[in-house]
């Protein structure tokens, strides 16, 4: 089925319907009808209607024909522009929906000001028991000249002290044992029930350690230190030659050792040990 659509321009929409009808064949037919109808009208007519009253009716030529009224109404409607009819016939334009109002963003709540927290200073009381182990060596090494004399002597004691003494060794090697290389007077059991046992025959009372050096006076330690420094300097020059940095350091250490006052050093050592709560009977 083919459908043809008649598209009217805007100029045609403004024409009255009567003008369009006049141009169309249907309008011609309607005009011919009206002309024939008007010609058929009698000029004068009188007739008697058979009735009981025998009244006479005369047809008035000037009376309006109801058909003419209908045609005039049609003509009035034809005079309305087509664009107006289209507007009436067309459904009411849908009300355009208003664009939704953008929701206003909620105002950010003002963050309350943080109250300044005043930190109270906590004063920690020093407990009597400290994690640091307090000993004679730790106190004297850090706080006294005698401690420094002992420390420097133990770094080079073999230049002035012979230990272990050969006379302390056993005359015969212990059974099932061998000598330990680098440790004269020390043996290790290599067979029997006590395999791996260490046999140490060195004299512990003369061992160059802190406890034995503490028993000596500052004067004796000072003399041993001066001899040890001089002996070290001689060996150093023989092996590396004069003018080395180590030789300069040894000269400075020797000057300091000679300036130490032994009596003052001993008194200072006792004072330090008493302050630390340590015994001075050594």
């Amino acid at each position: 089925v083919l459908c043809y659509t008649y598209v009217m321009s805007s100029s045609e929409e403004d024409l009255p319907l009567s003008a369009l009808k006049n141009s169309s064949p249907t309008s011609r037919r309607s005009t011919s009808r009206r002309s024939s109808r008007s010609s058929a009208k009698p000029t004068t007519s009188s007739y008697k209607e058979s009735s009981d009253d025998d009244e006479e009716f005369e047809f008035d030529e000037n009376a309006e024909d109801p058909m003419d009224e209908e045609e005039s109404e049609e003509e009035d409607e034809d005079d309305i522009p087509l664009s107006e009819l289209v507007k009436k016939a067309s459904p009411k334009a849908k009300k355009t929906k208003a664009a939704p109002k953008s929701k206003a963003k909620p105002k950010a709540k003002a963050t309350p000001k943080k109250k300044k927290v005043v930190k109270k200073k906590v004063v920690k009381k020093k407990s009597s028991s400290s994690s640091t182990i307090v000993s004679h060596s730790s106190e004297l090494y850090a706080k006294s000249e005698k401690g420094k004399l002992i420390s420097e002597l133990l770094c080079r004691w073999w230049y002035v002290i012979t230990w272990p003494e050969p006379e302390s060794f056993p005359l015969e090697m212990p059974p099932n044992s061998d000598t330990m290389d680098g440790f004269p007077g020390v043996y290790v059991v290599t067979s029997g029930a006590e395999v791996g046992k260490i046999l140490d025959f060195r004299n512990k009372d003369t061992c160059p350690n802190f406890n034995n050096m503490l028993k000596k006076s500052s004067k004796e330690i000072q003399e041993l230190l001066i001899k040890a420094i001089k002996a070290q300097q001689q060996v150093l020059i023989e092996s590396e030659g004069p003018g080395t940095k180590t030789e300069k350091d040894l000269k400075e250490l020797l000057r300091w050792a000679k300036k130490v006052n032994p009596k003052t050093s001993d008194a200072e050592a006792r004072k330090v040990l008493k302050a630390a709560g340590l015994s001075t009977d050594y």
Side-chain angles (χ1 to χ4, degrees), residues 28-216:
R28 293 173 186 171
R29 291 173 193 169
S30 61
T31 53
S32 63
R33 278 197 215 121
R34 282 197 297 269
S35 62
S36 63
R37 200 164 49 233
S38 61
S39 63
K41 286 181 182 180
T43 55
T44 58
S45 63
S46 61
Y47 63 92
K48 292 180 181 180
E49 187 175 347
S50 59
S51 64
D52 295 338
D53 297 333
D54 293 334
E55 293 179 355
E56 291 183 359
F57 293 91
E58 291 183 0
F59 181 79
D60 188 0
E61 188 178 4
N62 296 324
E64 293 182 358
D65 189 357
M67 295 297 291
D68 293 337
E69 291 179 0
E70 291 178 1
E71 289 177 1
S72 63
E73 288 177 0
E74 289 178 0
E75 288 176 358
D76 292 338
E77 290 179 356
D78 292 345
D79 294 335
I80 299 172
L82 186 60
S83 59
E84 293 295 328
L85 293 175
V86 172
K87 289 180 182 180
K88 291 179 180 180
S90 63
K92 292 183 179 179
K94 294 181 180 179
K95 293 182 180 179
T96 56
K97 293 183 180 179
K101 294 182 180 179
S102 58
K103 294 182 179 179
K105 293 182 180 179
K107 293 182 180 179
K109 294 181 180 179
T111 54
K113 293 183 179 180
K114 294 182 180 179
K115 294 181 180 180
K116 292 183 179 180
V117 180
V118 180
K119 293 182 179 180
K120 294 181 180 180
K121 292 182 179 180
V122 180
V123 180
K124 294 182 179 180
K125 293 181 180 180
K126 292 182 179 180
S127 58
S128 57
S129 60
S130 176
S131 58
T132 306
I133 299 173
V134 178
S135 63
H136 288 75
S137 59
S138 64
E139 293 298 310
L140 291 179
Y141 282 155
K143 301 174 183 179
S144 68
E145 286 186 341
K146 185 174 183 177
K148 188 175 180 180
L149 287 170
I150 294 171
S151 176
E152 295 295 339
L153 178 59
L154 291 178
C155 291
R156 49 188 61 82
W157 62 266
W158 52 92
Y159 290 106
V160 290
I161 298 173
T162 304
W163 187 89
E165 300 88 346
E167 56 269 17
S168 61
F169 300 162
L171 297 176
E172 295 181 359
M173 185 180 294
N176 303 325
S177 62
D178 290 330
T179 57
M180 185 176 286
D181 295 340
F183 297 91
V186 181
Y187 304 88
V188 57
V189 179
T190 56
S191 62
E194 296 181 338
V195 175
K197 184 178 180 180
I198 302 298
L199 303 175
D200 191 355
F201 293 95
R202 295 174 298 180
N203 188 357
K204 295 176 179 59
D205 293 334
T206 59
C207 175
N209 55 31
F210 176 82
N211 291 332
N212 290 334
M213 291 296 172
L214 183 59
K215 296 174 183 178
K216 300 179 182 297

Side-chain angles (χ1 to χ4, degrees), residues 232-242 244:
Q232 186 178 1
Q233 284 178 330
Q234 185 177 355
V235 174
L236 179 64
I237 292 170
E238 290 175 359
S239 61
E240 297 184 10
T244 61

